[in-house]
Amino acid sequence: MDITTDQVGALPPLNSALALQITIRFIGEELHKAGFENVVLGLSGGIDSSVVAALAARALGPERVTGVLMPYRTSSPDSLADAHALADQLGIRREMIDISPIADGFLSLKQDLNNTRKGNVLARARMIVLYDFSAELHALVLGTSNKTEILLGYGTLYGDLASALNPVGDLYKTEIRQLAAFLNIPEKIISKPPTADLWIGQSDEAELGFSYAEVDRLLYHRVDLGFSPEKLVEMGFNRKFVARVLELMRLNQFKRCGPLVCKLSPRTVTHDFLYPRDWGM
Amino acid sequence: MKFKIALAQINTKLGNLEANTRRHDEIISQAAAAGASLVVFPELSLSGYLLKDLTLDAALDPACAGPLKHLAANETQTACVVGFVEQSQDFKFYNAVAYLDAGTVQHIHRKIYLPTYGMFDEKRFFAAGDTLRTADTRFGRLGFLVCEDIWHFSTSYLLAHQGALMIVASLAGPGRGVRGSGDMLGSATSWELLARTVAQFNTVFFVTVNRVGFEDGLNFFGGSLVVDPYGNIVARGRVFDEDLVFAEIDFDLVRRARAQVPLLRDEKLELTLRELERVSREKFLLE
């Protein structure tokens, strides 16, 4: 798709030092007041989980952070090597669970799953593993979905979108890259093409049909600055691109919400039973 | 009049009055030991900010025994300003601050401007205050405001013209804005500019006390301020961390500032009132 010229509406640079200070305090405080000392997260060898692992190590000390490597038999060995290298660099605890038996056990019962369905099975198998570590280690699960993915719905409901705390959910992918550089994440991890690695050769940007740099500029103007679709086109964004991205946001709203509850009584959880999650903390 | 003020830039436990009251006790003792005679706490300091349906459970009737009277009767005879949910006699719930001294609740300000936009939803849970009065205290005449009140310029203006020498604002200001140049949060930069403006334009001491900590992922950034009547920042709290900030307040500085720059003396209240009445009349007739 012909998108835009390169420099339409660049995001202002992230103040990484400030973002770091806030996110590490967020991890420490929200964790401790919920009565936990440890965190666990999936380490894929990609930039998002690398950044979250680095933030958690800074917030809590590396001994309080467990990175779980969860390869499937088709996963790229390169990704696994990158995840190992990152865990070494940070000095965090490391576990490895090959999810092939879990996923294949299910996949053997069903025929002809397309890539999306298979990808969802893998993402949910990893969720099962992480939440079991959560119980075993008395650790909260850290989420690694960035703002771009959350807004586009580019994630699996109850899979990689499941977490207790997400320190990077308000940072666009291009901002994650800036924060990664600030945190000395290995250049190899920062510069490799983003992939969910759910099937061989998968690339986020090829699958989405646009680059993160392009879509982040659009999302920033739409979501953060409140530009109307017409104004975005006037700025120079391609009309079809604008329509497609806004439609993705709309269609995936369900992934950003809990299940709908049918209201019957005067006071209903999710409608008008409004308590903060940090209730009493 | 000269005295030492303490800005209690604390974190709170959401909906846990008992724990928060204990924290107030500790801070008051600590501030008194350092020679402060007035301690100011942040907005909703006894209850926490993001209460939602906890608002009812956290509400206090100022006429009854409870945390307010307990704090007012502190052993060190320190005056303090605390934030709390006020339950009125006709069962409305206000986001309020109380000025406590000599064992009693001496003044209450009910937050007038309840932000209900963006991340804020205060009007759903609180009734809005509808009066703006100064309080005559042992330190002199003071005005009290809560957070969003400050963003409406009329509030500090009205307090200054009632003779307030110092305006004290209790805040629960969430941090946001981590893009672009500068080494401060966007919201911290805005508050600082506003605080200096309020002080200088009203020739008053202006004190902000913001809290710190996280509630449901919202972070309160601290950065409490004491600004003198010339608009100079004379004390500043840490950013993001708890702090107890002390400052000497000397009302002789207000006297000198007002003598040198008599903005309040020269203000045309009658003209302002006439024009406001006309604007209001025209606006509401048109609508």
Side-chain angles (χ1 to χ4, degrees):
Chain A
M1 192 187 288
D2 172 32
I3 314 285
T4 61
T5 56
D6 268 358
Q7 285 312 311
V8 172
L11 272 75
L14 180 72
N15 184 333
S16 295
L18 209 48
L20 172 75
Q21 283 196 63
I22 297 171
T23 49
I24 64 175
R25 282 175 164 82
F26 164 80
I27 294 169
E29 186 171 333
E30 294 288 9
L31 180 75
H32 293 142
K33 69 182 176 182
F36 290 81
E37 301 288 337
N38 304 300
V39 294
V40 61
L41 76 157
L43 270 194
S44 68
I47 189 170
D48 299 321
S49 62
S50 298
V51 164
V52 174
L55 292 173
R58 292 233 192 170
L60 309 169
E63 69 285 355
R64 297 283 184 195
V65 183
T66 301
V68 188
L69 288 65
M70 295 174 282
Y72 179 62
R73 56 186 169 75
T74 62
S75 295
S76 144
D78 261 11
S79 302
L80 200 61
D82 290 342
H84 276 296
L86 184 91
D88 286 340
Q89 182 184 318
L90 297 175
I92 60 174
R93 291 171 185 272
R94 184 181 337 185
E95 296 281 351
M96 183 151 89
I97 299 282
D98 179 350
I99 61 163
S100 306
I102 309 174
D104 287 343
F106 177 75
L107 293 171
S108 71
L109 303 174
K110 303 276 275 185
Q111 310 300 312
D112 301 327
L113 269 69
N114 64 22
N115 276 343
T116 304
R117 284 175 63 194
K118 270 188 206 155
N120 283 337
V121 169
L122 299 189
R124 291 185 181 124
R126 292 185 174 116
M127 179 276 293
I128 291 172
V129 172
L130 286 176
Y131 273 85
D132 186 59
F133 273 116
S134 170
E136 182 188 350
L137 305 174
H138 195 61
L140 287 186
V141 175
L142 291 185
T144 64
S145 299
N146 59 61
K147 191 170 185 172
T148 313
E149 292 174 334
I150 293 172
L151 287 170
L152 297 176
Y154 194 63
T156 298
L157 188 62
Y158 308 122
D160 55 302
L161 291 175
S163 71
L165 300 173
N166 181 350
V168 296
D170 202 17
L171 292 171
Y172 290 108
K173 185 78 174 189
T174 43
E175 294 175 319
I176 298 276
R177 287 181 181 138
Q178 296 169 61
L179 189 54
F182 189 77
L183 288 164
N184 298 314
I185 301 296
E187 179 53 33
K188 179 165 178 260
I189 291 178
I190 299 179
S191 57
K192 69 183 177 184
T195 173
D197 202 11
L198 294 173
W199 57 85
I200 295 165
Q202 185 186 15
S203 147
D204 290 3
E205 294 181 335
E207 197 184 359
L208 287 164
F210 42 74
S211 75
Y212 279 117
E214 290 160 331
V215 79
D216 282 356
R217 290 197 290 267
L218 176 56
L219 291 171
Y220 170 67
H221 282 84
R222 176 63 180 160
V223 176
D224 290 59
L225 301 184
F227 280 40
S228 68
E230 272 316 305
K231 189 76 190 166
L232 294 168
V233 172
E234 207 178 289
M235 274 181 73
F237 287 107
N238 176 292
R239 188 178 291 278
K240 281 188 185 155
F241 176 53
V242 172
R244 161 116 197 277
V245 169
L246 298 193
E247 187 63 356
L248 274 175
M249 276 175 61
R250 186 187 71 79
L251 285 172
N252 284 288
Q253 175 64 5
F254 74 98
K255 293 188 186 175
R256 297 182 285 266
C257 305
L260 297 182
V261 173
C262 174
K263 186 167 177 67
L264 296 170
S265 76
R267 194 146 183 240
T268 311
V269 176
T270 76
H271 290 276
D272 39 27
F273 175 84
L274 301 175
Y275 288 85
R277 194 171 103 172
D278 288 348
W279 187 345
M281 297 177 198
Chain B
M1 171 52 90
K2 217 168 136 176
F3 60 98
K4 195 187 246 188
I5 190 172
L7 284 54
Q9 183 176 299
I10 58 167
N11 195 350
T12 59
K13 288 198 189 316
L14 190 51
N16 189 338
L17 269 81
E18 219 174 289
N20 293 328
T21 305
R22 278 199 303 274
R23 186 83 183 116
H24 282 58
D25 280 332
E26 291 164 12
I27 297 280
I28 290 168
S29 304
Q30 207 179 322
S37 42
L38 173 62
V39 188
V40 182
F41 288 90
E43 177 177 11
L44 294 172
S45 60
L46 283 171
S47 62
Y49 177 73
L50 204 66
L51 292 163
K52 302 188 178 183
D53 282 356
L54 292 172
T55 303
L56 272 70
D57 300 328
L60 299 172
D61 177 347
C64 298
L68 294 175
K69 293 211 165 148
H70 165 78
L71 293 171
N74 69 79
E75 280 175 6
T76 55
Q77 299 179 329
T78 310
C80 55
V81 179
V82 303
F84 72 111
V85 180
E86 180 200 353
Q87 177 179 305
S88 67
Q89 297 306 310
D90 57 347
F91 306 120
K92 288 183 193 133
F93 302 89
Y94 295 94
N95 180 342
V97 284
Y99 172 76
L100 311 174
D101 195 16
T104 60
V105 177
Q106 302 206 336
H107 181 85
I108 287 176
H109 170 70
R110 295 167 170 172
K111 187 174 187 177
I112 295 169
Y113 291 102
L114 301 171
T116 305
Y117 57 82
M119 75 185 92
F120 305 106
D121 201 13
E122 292 187 26
K123 257 180 226 160
R124 181 185 165 95
F125 303 100
F126 291 115
D130 56 8
T131 56
L132 195 51
R133 302 289 150 79
T134 52
D136 287 320
T137 72
R138 62 169 146 128
F139 307 102
R141 189 166 289 182
L142 307 183
F144 303 98
L145 294 171
V146 181
C147 212
E148 186 86 356
D149 286 340
I150 302 296
W151 290 85
H152 295 261
F153 207 74
S154 52
T155 55
S156 57
Y157 175 91
L158 284 167
L159 290 173
H161 282 283
Q162 290 173 73
L165 303 177
M166 177 168 79
I167 297 174
V168 172
S170 298
L171 321 179
R176 51 212 192 275
V178 293
R179 297 192 187 98
S181 55
D183 55 358
M184 272 169 75
L185 270 169
S187 44
T189 310
S190 307
W191 266 109
E192 192 167 310
L193 185 62
L194 185 62
R196 298 183 62 177
T197 307
V198 164
Q200 190 167 18
F201 279 54
N202 293 305
T203 44
V204 289
F205 272 102
F206 183 56
V207 174
T208 66
V209 182
N210 192 18
R211 53 165 291 189
V212 295
F214 282 84
E215 288 179 356
D216 279 10
L218 278 191
N219 111 277
F220 301 94
F221 66 88
S224 304
L225 297 170
V226 178
V227 190
D228 76 14
Y230 295 99
N232 303 307
I233 293 171
V234 294
R236 191 195 286 275
R238 295 163 70 186
V239 175
F240 300 129
D241 292 319
E242 285 200 328
D243 204 353
L244 187 56
V245 183
F246 295 95
E248 281 289 327
I249 303 291
D250 184 352
F251 285 149
D252 190 55
L253 203 60
V254 180
R255 184 182 73 85
R256 283 183 280 135
R258 290 182 182 182
Q260 290 157 8
V261 190
L263 301 175
L264 293 185
R265 183 197 69 188
D266 296 347
E267 180 69 15
K268 298 194 184 305
L269 280 178
E270 287 293 338
L271 178 148
T272 306
L273 189 61
R274 270 198 317 276
E275 293 299 321
L276 271 179
E277 276 170 353
R278 178 184 59 77
V279 169
S280 168
R281 201 167 47 240
E282 287 173 3
K283 183 172 171 182
F284 292 111
L285 276 179
L286 281 174
E287 282 173 2

